[in-house]
Amino acid sequence: MLAAGCSAPGPVAVPQARLAKTYHSMPAAPLPLQRESVATTLAEYRHEFARLLHAANPGLVYDGPPPNPVRGVIVMRAEIDALGEMRRLELFRGPGHAPWLEQLVAQTVRQAEPFPRPSAKLLNGGGSVVFIETWLFDYEGRFRLRTLSQAQAEPPDEPQEEEFR
């Protein structure tokens, strides 16, 4: 009798309905997880974001320096969570003469999602990374992100006025 008290208890039967309920009450997680970013600074993460966004929208990105003048400038605040999902996208400045450019910005971001998971070092107290990015548009509706942009092109030559005598 004493020996029976020291033995390990046998398996406990758990009703099948209880297992199913426990399993289905767990939140769904996107699998597989996105790759983790190699960026160690916010500037590096912005570059990684910009390269990914350009790669996902090749026909919409112009080559070379921004035209002078640009057609439009849109400033965006992005918040990306720890899983690489866009938590919030806010447009701070957009061209009033071409509101369709704002829709194009949202479309280019959706095309590039999901983003690399920010490293724990880059996450703020809310479990996300927040940064500002700027879209520069040419007159054909193509863009380039300021983070990956070259110096702006020289302005076009103005016609010279002839002197009258």
Side-chain angles (χ1 to χ4, degrees), residues 32-145:
L33 290 175
Q34 296 306 313
R35 70 172 178 80
E36 186 172 7
S37 171
V38 296
T40 58
T41 66
L42 187 57
E44 289 174 359
Y45 190 82
R46 282 183 49 218
H47 272 84
E48 192 172 0
F49 170 88
R51 284 190 302 271
L52 180 63
L53 201 127
H54 279 202
N57 298 281
L60 296 174
V61 178
Y62 64 80
D63 291 324
N68 192 343
V70 295
R71 178 176 193 165
V73 175
I74 295 182
V75 178
M76 169 207 78
R77 178 183 179 269
E79 182 177 359
I80 299 174
D81 69 18
L83 295 176
E85 299 291 328
M86 182 67 70
R87 183 182 286 176
R88 177 173 286 176
L89 175 67
E90 296 174 303
L91 301 179
F92 287 127
R93 180 181 190 272
H97 67 283
W100 58 272
L101 290 177
E102 292 180 8
Q103 295 171 345
L104 187 59
V105 165
Q107 175 189 337
T108 60
V109 170
R110 282 192 302 274
Q111 188 73 18
E113 287 183 298
F115 301 103
R117 293 180 293 123
S119 66
K121 176 182 174 182
L122 296 179
L123 297 177
N124 61 21
S128 62
V129 62
V130 178
F131 58 92
I132 303 290
E133 185 55 83
T134 304
W135 268 253
L136 305 172
F137 286 92
D138 69 6
Y139 279 85
E140 294 178 25
R142 297 175 302 168
F143 73 93
R144 189 157 197 85
L145 295 180

Side-chain angles (χ1 to χ4, degrees), residues 1-9:
M1 278 223 191
L2 196 54
C6 294
S7 65

